[in-house]
Amino acid sequence: MASSSLSKPDPRRKPPSTGTRVSVLVPLPFPGPLDYLAPMLLEPGDLVTVPLGRRETVGCVWETDRTLPADFALPVGRELLLERLRPVVGKLDVRPLPQSLRRFIDWVAAYTLTPPGLVLAMATRIHLKDAPKPTLGWVRTEAPEGDLRITPARRSVLNFASSTPMSTAELGDRSGASAAVIRGLATAGLLREAVIAPAAPFGLPDPAHGAPKLSEEQAEVAQELCSPVEAGRFQVTLLEGVTGSGKTEVYFEAVAACLAKGKQVLVLLPEIALSAQWTDRFIRRFGAEPAVWHSDLGAKRRRETWRAVAEGSARVVVGARSALFLPFADLGLVVVDEEHESAFKQEEGVMYHGRDMAVVRARLADAPAILVSATPSLETLANVESGRYRHELLTARHGGATLPDVSLVDMRSDPPERGLFLSPKLCTAIDETLEKGEQAMLFLNRRGYAPLTLCRACGHRMQCPNCSAWLVEHRARGILTCHHCGHNERIPKDCPECHAENSLVPIGPGIERITEEAKLRFPEAKLLVMSSDTLGSPAATAEAVRKISDGEVNLIIGTQIVAKGWHFPKLTLVGVVDADLGLGGGDLRAAERTVQLLHQVAGRAGRAEHRGRVLLQSYVGEHPVMTALVSNDFQTFMEQEAEQRRPSFWPPYGRLAALIVSAPSADAADALAREIALSAPEREGVQVLGPAPAPLAVLRGRHRRRLLLRTMRGIAVQPILRQWLGDIKPTGGAKVDIDIDPISFL
Ligand code: ADP
Ligand code: ZN
């Protein structure tokens, strides 16, 4: 522990008997804050070190002002009670967590039914105790030169030294003198050490730097987005617009308005891979870098960024959902880009939806929020319909670029050759595109070589030993792997079941297999594969994006990473290898998500002067999802979706919570699920579905059962769950996880 950052109380001084009690929230799963004695002046939000058992932990002062009343009598004497409280050890040298963040932490905890300490942990997970070491430099003192012999080197140093501290290296460089000369002058009292103020790690974005000339429509929408920013008033606006219509350019105007007010901006992106291209655009528009926040940042950069956000010197933060928990000094605007993305939902630990919590964060900070999408979620559209959110629409692509022409390849009448996956129609289109010197992209949202491996002789399917899931072949690495638990094994030569030789065959395509096919079919093409297996870091993604933008490649093959908001001017053809892929599984949002994803992939085509083309390979061409994509009629599709969900109160017309029961054995999971089901709430407007085995009935060796709690919109699920599960005490390694507003039903 760096004691320099702690103002330690004097241990010899007894805590005053009239001391104050403070509650301190610690980053652990207690039901609430713990009480401590404050031997120093503490404010709510102060980060402090407190003893906990035999350890110490960093916590946050949640309340003060709880001086025990003079008539406090029971159950023990006042003196005794204070004696029993353990004192706070010290206060960290950082800004207190602002009230809006503390209220947000309480809100998220209550909404997700998580102990508040675990939510606090997301805000303080950095090592704040390692305060940045001050850098020291030299300043000229008032002391007279006296009878010190002033050599030319000394003279030079004294000429350059001033009241602004300069490091030994800098002063040496300027004066041409050695470090020994400088030290000598310090010993003589003519120079003194002083702290060099750290350079602000983040530049100051300039609202006027690269302001574009907006179209009339863009300007009107921008004005609507700016006015709540200027008024400093909470207000949620959905910014909807076709891909390439300038949504980013337009919300940048609201960012500029917020900067002009001197307030901070938070922009959430669904994936950190997008932050590099976003940052480039931001620099072009504002002439300075934004602060980037995500889990891949190094520890030092995290600390710097955290502090800069707390001090207000980081003006614009772009980041993943965890950026919601940064201690903004003065938040004036929250933007959620690609708001429909399910990647905003955190599925582990504290299960929260980044978009929904962004709206809460904005409300608690009295700041407006902008939700941005070409294909808004039904949740957001329902909020627009009910009047809670405002709606701004951009109807045209910028600069006259037209929307791509989307058509179907019916795989029943126009199938690929046996054992292949690219239809003749799609191949011809790729040939034409490459011949014209343009770029084509193949999209398949599935990693690896093949999603299933089976034995030709006995039909045995290669399955994960820990999960109810098939093993996915990754041929390049020579392994079969489980995408749920990470289990790996070498690809066996013979069937492990019937021992038939060389009998295992891959079934279905993954992106590796499509790449193999494309290499054979388009030997001249310059190929680039984009998937999480080939792009390990944001830097690798940025490099891939550069290669595409610079035209170093002309055939791009990718998983969902290619669907993101990239702007590739030379890309004119997008081929969706399996448009039906997301439709299986009976997930509530399967159709909605498929439309959103494929529309977004399609939107990569023809973003500049050349018209784009999109081909969807499908076996179910008559499906409403395909109709919506081909006719580019997203609205009718969403209306149909709404009509399906409304009558039976599926979200967003009702509320949903998932209970996931898991245990080391199937029997234990069943027993706990039954116990929970027996005490299920019975009342009007509340329904419990299940228990049923989860689709992933076994995950990482744990057996899983699911229940769903569904209520009519006006009925909150949290009080029901609290009461229902309050008395359930799982034993023997069993547990129940609660997922409010579930997105995944696996
Ligand atoms: P979206 O976010 O809706 O996909 P973008 O904001 O990325 O759209 O805009 C698409 C492209 O058009 C970008 O290259 C952007 O810089 C450009 N663009 C949009 N509006 C303007 C404008 N008013 N002036 C200049 N360029 C613009
Ligand atoms: Zn597994």
Side-chain angles (χ1 to χ4, degrees):
M1 187 194 315
S3 60
S4 67
S5 64
L6 294 175
S7 44
K8 283 219 165 145
D10 185 344
R12 285 159 307 183
R13 226 181 70 198
K14 228 174 126 346
S17 56
T18 54
T20 18
R21 194 160 66 145
V22 282
S23 6
V24 175
L25 189 60
V26 294
L28 290 161
F30 294 110
L34 306 175
D35 278 349
Y36 286 90
L37 196 66
M40 76 270 291
L41 198 60
L42 290 174
E43 302 274 337
D46 276 340
L47 292 174
V48 290
T49 313
V50 292
L52 193 77
R54 270 185 263 153
R55 294 175 24 219
E56 281 183 359
T57 180
V58 170
C60 179
V61 176
W62 223 239
E63 272 175 70
T64 51
D65 270 342
R66 298 222 282 148
T67 313
L68 300 180
D71 55 353
F72 189 91
L74 292 169
V76 282
R78 173 191 175 82
E79 298 293 315
L80 197 55
L81 188 89
L82 284 176
E83 287 286 278
R84 278 193 191 169
L85 289 181
R86 300 175 72 183
V88 168
V89 177
K91 185 159 113 62
L92 299 197
D93 179 23
V94 289
R95 301 256 171 141
L97 296 193
Q99 195 202 19
S100 62
L101 176 57
R102 282 181 281 125
R103 284 168 63 202
F104 180 62
I105 289 170
D106 277 335
W107 205 98
V108 173
Y111 189 82
T112 59
L113 297 177
T114 312
L118 296 188
V119 183
L120 173 74
M122 297 196 286
T124 56
R125 209 158 13 205
I126 32 180
H127 297 284
L128 292 167
K129 285 199 282 186
D130 310 333
K133 282 214 179 61
T135 329
L136 294 176
W138 301 105
V139 291
R140 175 77 171 92
T141 61
E142 306 279 303
E145 289 170 11
D147 49 8
L148 186 72
R149 196 171 63 83
I150 302 292
T151 61
R154 284 182 169 163
R155 170 60 56 219
S156 175
V157 169
L158 290 176
N159 282 345
F160 280 101
S162 67
S163 57
T164 314
M166 246 185 271
S167 68
T168 309
E170 189 184 355
L171 191 52
D173 270 354
R174 293 200 186 185
S175 63
S178 69
V181 173
I182 296 171
R183 277 198 303 272
L185 285 169
T187 314
L190 297 183
L191 293 178
R192 165 173 71 73
E193 270 190 314
V195 173
I196 301 179
F202 300 99
L204 203 58
D206 172 6
H209 178 82
K213 174 138 183 40
L214 298 180
S215 72
E216 204 171 308
E217 182 183 59
Q218 287 176 334
E220 276 170 29
V221 171
Q223 185 46 48
E224 291 298 325
L225 296 179
C226 289
S227 67
V229 174
E230 279 147 12
R233 144 170 70 83
F234 171 66
Q235 153 90 72
V236 187
T237 308
L238 165 62
L239 172 57
E240 182 182 354
V242 294
T243 50
S245 57
K247 295 187 292 298
T248 314
E249 223 57 72
V250 168
Y251 79 65
F252 273 174
E253 293 307 298
V255 172
C258 191
L259 289 171
K261 276 198 81 179
K263 292 191 165 210
Q264 291 169 295
V265 182
L266 167 61
V267 179
L268 293 186
L269 301 179
E271 253 165 275
I272 59 164
L274 298 171
S275 58
Q277 205 184 28
W278 194 94
T279 298
D280 287 346
R281 274 190 77 168
F282 185 87
I283 295 172
R284 263 180 272 138
R285 172 65 182 81
F286 294 102
E289 257 183 74
V292 181
W293 182 262
H294 53 67
S295 50
D296 272 7
L297 285 189
K300 180 164 176 287
R301 192 65 178 162
R302 278 175 94 73
R303 266 198 312 271
E304 277 172 5
T305 307
W306 197 93
R307 283 175 183 267
V309 173
E311 283 155 15
S313 60
R315 306 293 306 282
V316 176
V317 178
V318 59
R321 56 177 182 254
S322 57
L324 284 168
F325 295 92
L326 285 170
F328 288 94
D330 192 8
L331 188 57
L333 173 66
V334 179
V335 179
V336 182
D337 207 343
E338 313 287 7
E339 68 89 25
H340 61 275
E341 282 274 356
S342 49
F344 280 119
K345 180 72 189 286
Q346 174 149 309
E347 300 283 3
E348 276 174 3
V350 183
M351 292 192 246
Y352 68 97
H353 200 301
R355 174 199 59 221
D356 299 344
M357 295 307 119
V359 169
V360 174
R361 186 78 167 92
R363 181 159 55 75
L364 295 176
D366 292 320
I370 304 174
L371 309 182
V372 185
S373 177
T375 53
S377 63
L378 197 56
E379 276 72 12
T380 296
L381 290 173
N383 279 318
V384 166
E385 198 189 356
S386 70
R388 261 188 295 270
Y389 294 179
R390 291 178 40 178
H391 190 189
E392 295 299 334
L393 195 63
L394 291 172
T395 56
R397 272 193 158 183
H398 172 74
T402 43
L403 280 172
D405 170 37
V406 182
S407 56
L408 278 174
V409 178
D410 187 333
M411 297 292 270
R412 291 162 299 195
S413 59
D414 193 11
E417 275 175 52
R418 219 182 123 75
L420 298 182
F421 301 93
L422 303 177
S423 63
K425 241 189 195 156
L426 178 54
C427 289
T428 310
I430 296 174
D431 283 332
E432 290 165 5
T433 307
L434 300 186
E435 270 161 31
K436 276 190 280 184
E438 296 166 4
Q439 289 170 325
M441 175 188 277
L442 288 171
F443 171 74
L444 176 64
N445 198 11
R446 198 192 263 142
R447 295 160 48 210
Y449 188 83
L452 171 65
T453 303
L454 66 72
C455 170
R456 229 175 350 208
C458 74
H460 175 73
R461 297 166 169 217
M462 298 298 291
Q463 196 182 347
C464 175
N466 314 318
C467 307
S468 342
W470 310 129
L471 291 174
V472 178
E473 179 179 351
H474 284 246
R475 187 162 287 191
R477 285 152 64 206
I479 55 164
L480 295 170
T481 184
C482 171
H483 284 180
H484 297 285
C485 74
H487 167 85
N488 275 338
E489 53 189 75
R490 310 272 337 150
I491 305 172
K493 247 177 95 287
D494 309 332
C495 172
E497 189 66 24
C498 72
H499 307 289
E501 286 179 25
N502 295 319
S503 68
L504 294 174
V505 285
I507 305 296
I511 187 167
E512 282 186 27
R513 198 169 187 178
I514 295 301
T515 306
E516 186 182 271
E517 187 176 331
K519 273 186 185 150
L520 288 173
R521 178 63 181 74
F522 311 102
E524 306 288 306
K526 285 169 281 173
L527 236 80
L528 175 78
V529 180
M530 285 180 85
S531 83
S532 55
D533 294 313
T534 61
L535 306 171
S537 64
T541 309
E543 174 59 11
V545 167
R546 186 198 60 74
K547 280 188 181 154
I548 302 174
S549 303
D550 293 355
E552 282 175 30
V553 294
N554 59 4
L555 181 55
I556 300 113
I557 304 180
T559 56
Q560 45 94 24
I561 180 96
V562 301
K564 307 304 168 193
W566 314 116
H567 186 64
F568 299 137
K570 297 188 192 76
L571 183 75
T572 55
L573 174 70
V574 169
V576 177
V577 176
D578 183 355
D580 314 336
L581 185 58
L583 295 176
D587 181 327
L588 171 69
R589 297 182 183 83
E592 179 191 345
R593 260 210 299 258
T594 304
V595 164
Q596 287 162 340
L597 178 64
L598 296 186
H599 183 83
Q600 199 163 6
V601 182
R604 296 318 104 210
R607 286 172 64 99
E609 61 271 32
H610 302 295
R611 176 111 204 228
R613 245 208 305 177
V614 180
L615 291 177
L616 306 172
Q617 297 196 141
S618 170
Y619 287 92
V620 289
E622 60 289 339
H623 195 287
V625 163
M626 305 309 150
T627 314
L629 290 165
V630 169
S631 60
N632 194 33
D633 186 356
F634 183 63
Q635 197 182 338
T636 307
F637 172 81
M638 288 308 266
E639 281 163 11
Q640 287 165 358
E641 274 286 302
E643 285 329 305
Q644 282 182 19
R645 292 194 215 168
R646 206 190 307 261
S648 28
F649 304 108
W650 287 109
Y653 307 102
R655 305 201 163 274
L656 212 55
L659 283 68
I660 302 119
V661 173
S662 66
S665 75
D667 286 348
D670 281 328
L672 179 57
R674 256 197 316 272
E675 185 193 348
I676 290 175
L678 276 177
S679 57
E682 283 176 44
R683 57 180 266 207
E684 181 85 24
V686 175
Q687 194 188 13
V688 175
L689 309 170
L696 263 171
V698 186
L699 177 63
R700 297 186 191 95
R702 289 179 70 83
H703 295 257
R704 304 163 78 244
R705 305 289 179 264
R706 292 183 71 105
L707 296 99
L708 266 185
L709 171 68
R710 184 169 53 160
T711 68
M712 281 163 58
R713 183 153 188 123
I715 307 176
V717 292
Q718 288 83 357
I720 299 176
L721 286 165
R722 247 185 247 118
Q723 197 180 16
W724 180 10
L725 300 176
D727 295 331
I728 307 262
K729 300 276 174 277
T731 53
K735 66 168 180 160
V736 47
D737 290 311
I738 301 172
D739 185 0
I740 306 284
D741 308 331
I743 292 283
S744 160
F745 294 85
L746 286 178

